[in-house]
């Protein structure tokens, strides 16, 4: 018997096909494996990314409204909408508002980072998957948001410090800045640093802001006399992170059983 519920995975999107496959598609596939019998649809939030993918690669991706309409035409009456966003920021709130205006019954899953427990779970995954040696540190570059959800980054930093883990979080165009981070690494007397995107996808932000030219995080750290290596691996490539999204979908599905 066909399920009346489908799953919609909504990502910001990327024009980098390799990163799309390793992070977004891999997360979607993991969700399919966690929920056999529930079809998984895809939507991107960034209209420019959607246009670019179609123009450059002939790849058609729906936006959220188009995907929900497609699901309704396919006969589904209920949808779990799971954003792959990290925070409950601007994009998440707009997404939630638009989802309520559709004709299909939508239950929305939580973002990856919303409370202390979420921060502890992700920090543990990062620690386990990126072991460091003496004199080495990690710098995690987040996107940031003007919403109060930005405080989540500070919660994660507190957790790293409580666990005496040599990891620093910095924000693209925000605080802590790239320069602040470089100065802190000098104070730590760090000899080697790995730079990782605290983002689902290692796409344009990773290539440009993290590891690009003279204004990048990589340049700021190296200017401090520290050896630095960028790691182009998005959070969506982690099986443990993929499992966290599956947990959120499972939570959201409970709304349909009430």
């Amino acid at each position: 018997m066909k399920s009346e519920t489908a799953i919609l995975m909504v990502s910001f999107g990327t024009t980098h096909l390799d990163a799309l496959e390793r992070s977004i598609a891999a997360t979607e596939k993991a969700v399919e494996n966690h929920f056999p019998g529930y079809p998984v649809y895809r939507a991107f939030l960034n209209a420019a990314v959607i246009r670019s993918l179609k123009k450059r690669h002939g790849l058609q991706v729906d936006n959220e409204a188009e995907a929900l309409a497609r699901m309704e035409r396919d006969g589904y009456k209920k949808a779990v909408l799971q954003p792959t966003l990290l925070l409950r920021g601007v994009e998440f709130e707009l997404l939630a508002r638009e989802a309520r205006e559709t004709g299909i019954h939508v239950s929305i899953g939580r973002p990856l980072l919303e409370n202390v427990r979420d921060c502890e779970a992700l920090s543990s995954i990062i620690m386990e998957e990126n072991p460091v040696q003496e004199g080495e540190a990690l710098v995690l570059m987040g996107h940031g948001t003007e919403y109060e959800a930005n405080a989540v980054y500070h919660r994660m930093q507190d957790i790293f410090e409580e666990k005496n883990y040599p990891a620093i979080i910095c924000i693209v165009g925000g605080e802590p800045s790239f320069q602040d981070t470089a100065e802190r690494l000098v104070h730590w007397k760090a000899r080697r640093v790995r730079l990782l995107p605290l983002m689902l996808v290692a796409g344009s932000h990773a290539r440009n802001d993290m590891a690009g030219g003279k204004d990048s995080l990589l340049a700021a750290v190296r200017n401090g006399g520290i050896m630095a290596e960028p790691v182009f691996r998005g959070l969506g490539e982690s099986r443990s992170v993929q499992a966290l999204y599956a947990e959120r979908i499972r939570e959201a599905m409970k709304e349909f059983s009430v």
Side-chain angles (χ1 to χ4, degrees):
M1 181 178 177
K2 177 182 175 181
S3 170
E4 64 176 9
T5 304
I7 299 169
L8 175 58
M9 300 294 293
V10 184
S11 303
F12 185 79
T14 179
T15 58
H16 298 276
L17 295 184
D18 55 341
L20 191 161
E21 286 301 315
R22 291 198 309 269
S23 292
I24 296 176
T27 300
E28 294 166 347
K29 182 63 177 177
V31 167
E32 288 180 349
N33 293 336
H34 274 90
F35 301 96
Y38 291 86
V40 177
Y41 290 70
R42 170 190 292 172
F44 284 176
L45 292 171
N46 190 301
V49 166
I50 292 174
R51 289 194 298 269
S52 180
L53 288 172
K54 185 174 183 179
K55 182 178 180 180
R56 294 183 187 179
H57 307 291
L59 180 60
Q60 177 64 49
V61 179
D62 290 336
N63 61 30
E64 176 219 349
E66 291 168 339
L68 286 170
R70 184 186 301 275
M71 295 163 81
E72 192 171 8
R73 289 196 302 272
D74 289 346
Y76 296 101
K77 300 183 182 340
K78 303 174 184 177
V80 173
L81 190 159
Q82 179 58 55
T84 59
L85 303 170
L86 265 66
L87 309 178
R88 192 179 287 271
V90 177
E91 290 88 357
F92 187 97
E93 295 301 333
L94 288 174
L95 183 65
R97 192 177 308 134
E98 292 172 0
R100 297 187 189 102
E101 298 174 357
T102 184
I104 193 169
H105 183 185
V106 177
S107 178
I108 303 174
R110 297 190 302 111
L112 190 64
L113 297 175
E114 190 169 46
N115 52 46
V116 173
R117 188 177 65 178
D118 295 341
C119 292
E120 289 177 343
L122 184 59
S123 64
S124 294
I125 291 170
I126 291 171
M127 291 178 185
E128 292 168 3
E129 296 184 351
N130 300 280
V132 296
Q133 300 176 353
E134 186 176 350
E136 188 177 29
L138 297 179
V139 176
L140 306 164
M141 187 191 75
H143 185 277
T145 177
E146 295 179 359
Y147 270 43
E148 60 184 19
N150 206 67
V152 168
Y153 292 117
H154 299 287
R155 289 184 202 146
M156 277 201 69
Q157 185 65 63
D158 290 342
I159 291 169
F160 285 138
E161 293 173 6
E162 289 168 6
K163 296 185 177 182
N164 294 316
Y165 193 72
I168 298 176
I169 296 175
C170 63
I171 306 299
V172 177
E175 300 293 337
S177 68
F178 295 168
Q179 187 58 42
D180 293 338
T181 300
E183 292 173 2
R184 190 173 183 186
L185 290 167
V186 171
H187 178 71
W188 278 7
K189 295 182 171 55
R191 296 192 299 271
R192 298 179 305 279
V193 174
R194 273 177 285 158
L195 314 178
L196 296 90
L198 189 58
M199 304 173 180
L200 183 82
V201 175
S204 295
H205 281 302
R207 287 165 170 79
N208 300 323
D209 298 300
M210 188 180 80
K214 61 183 179 62
D215 296 325
S216 69
L217 173 60
L218 179 63
V221 174
R222 286 180 174 172
N223 288 341
I226 300 170
M227 295 175 59
E229 174 192 2
V231 179
F232 297 100
R233 182 173 188 264
L235 293 174
E237 299 179 48
S238 165
R239 290 186 179 180
S240 296
V241 171
Q242 294 164 4
L244 291 180
Y245 282 115
E247 285 181 15
R248 280 145 183 74
I249 292 171
R250 191 168 285 108
E251 291 172 3
M253 280 186 174
K254 292 178 181 177
E255 179 179 322
F256 299 141
S257 61
V258 174

